[in-house]
Amino acid sequence: MASTDIVRLENVWVSYNGTPALEDVNLVVVEHDFLGVIGPNGGGKSTLLKVILGLVKPQRGSVTVLGSLPERSRNRIGYVPQHSNYDHDFPVSVMEVVLMGRYGKRGILKPYDGSDREAAEKALARVGMLSHAHTQIGQLSGGQQQRTFIARALVSDPALLLLDEPTASVDSAMQTDFYELLEELKREMAIVMVSHDIGAVSVFVDKIACLNVQLYYHGSSEITPQILEATYKCPVQLIAHGDIPHRVLRKH
Ligand code: ADP
């Protein structure tokens, strides 16, 4: 393993009840990578993230994260789950949400101490949300909630940040701010972001992989119409809603 490997998947196979969700997937993520993984719903994107987190065990193949088994490295991974998975009516403050990110370091039964609060404040400042620390999470806009969840992922000082459909409930003006934040964060950690929306990821990421059970990966942000069509099993115009971001497609 090269010293800069953050994630390494070799010949990974995952099936649920005999149906493959990942087929012979190979992927290497190195320091400072900002990788976008795009593909249709049901293509295995969440499964890929769960494999990296050690929550799903492949039937075949090997997975290393930061040189160890994924579950041993989990406290060095910041994970931002899909927005819709969170109950926004739950009466909890921004500060409390971010403190939850310390469980991995502290253990769930130990009370928070000053160092946890300091780390939470630092993470909130990092995403520009410190002034909202005592606001209830449900009172925030979609973009502010998203920043709060990123702060929760950052509070454990991760070497790898995983984002699952992060732009789902954020309007396009906020998305630019969001990508600018990720541009800053990638100086300190590798980022892997999955999305079914090619337009959402293509302009800012450095590398793109296409996943539809099989992973098509070329180590650059340029992918061909042929790869997109193979991934989505439909013409490129439909995938990109007629507006294909220039950086994604190689000149041809
Ligand atoms: P994506 O995130 O790209 O939408 P998923 O990884 O969620 O894809 O799902 C890939 C496939 O695996 C889908 O067909 C889905 O129905 C199936 N799947 C995912 N999780 C489970 C599970 N826990 N049990 C059974 N099937 C699952």
Side-chain angles (χ1 to χ4, degrees), residues 59-74:
Q59 281 89 13
R60 284 163 62 188
S62 74
V63 186
T64 48
V65 179
L66 298 159
S68 304
L69 289 172
E71 53 270 37
R72 298 191 68 181
S73 297
R74 201 180 293 153

Side-chain angles (χ1 to χ4, degrees), residues 14-17 19-22 37-50 56 82 164-165 194-196 211-213:
V14 173
S15 297
Y16 298 107
N17 310 317
T19 307
L22 297 179
V37 180
I38 57 170
N41 285 326
K45 300 182 297 299
S46 296
T47 300
L48 179 72
L49 294 186
K50 287 175 190 163
V56 165
Q82 279 188 30
D164 195 350
E165 299 282 357
V194 309
S195 177
H196 68 280
L211 180 63
N212 190 359
V213 186

Side-chain angles (χ1 to χ4, degrees), residues 43-100:
K45 300 182 297 299
S46 296
T47 300
L48 179 72
L49 294 186
K50 287 175 190 163
V51 166
I52 296 172
L53 284 161
L55 299 173
V56 165
K57 289 263 156 248
Q59 281 89 13
R60 284 163 62 188
S62 74
V63 186
T64 48
V65 179
L66 298 159
S68 304
L69 289 172
E71 53 270 37
R72 298 191 68 181
S73 297
R74 201 180 293 153
N75 63 5
R76 304 284 326 277
I77 306 175
Y79 174 48
V80 183
Q82 279 188 30
H83 210 63
S84 54
N85 290 348
Y86 197 82
D87 177 0
H88 297 290
D89 294 329
F90 195 66
V92 64
S93 74
V94 166
M95 184 61 161
E96 287 164 322
V97 169
V98 176
L99 280 170
M100 286 173 202

Side-chain angles (χ1 to χ4, degrees), residues 100-166:
M100 286 173 202
R102 295 289 283 187
Y103 283 159
K105 282 218 174 343
R106 171 148 303 273
I108 200 156
L109 296 175
K110 296 209 182 107
Y112 300 120
D113 65 17
S115 67
D116 295 316
R117 289 189 185 279
E118 212 172 285
E121 283 174 8
K122 203 170 132 214
L124 280 170
R126 192 78 216 272
V127 302
M129 286 294 292
L130 188 54
S131 60
H132 292 87
H134 302 294
T135 309
Q136 299 283 298
I137 187 85
Q139 290 169 357
L140 301 176
S141 70
Q144 290 171 325
Q145 287 183 356
Q146 181 188 54
R147 280 170 181 268
T148 303
F149 296 122
I150 291 173
R152 182 178 65 176
L154 293 179
V155 78
S156 58
D157 200 14
L160 172 67
L161 183 63
L162 302 178
L163 301 145
D164 195 350
E165 299 282 357

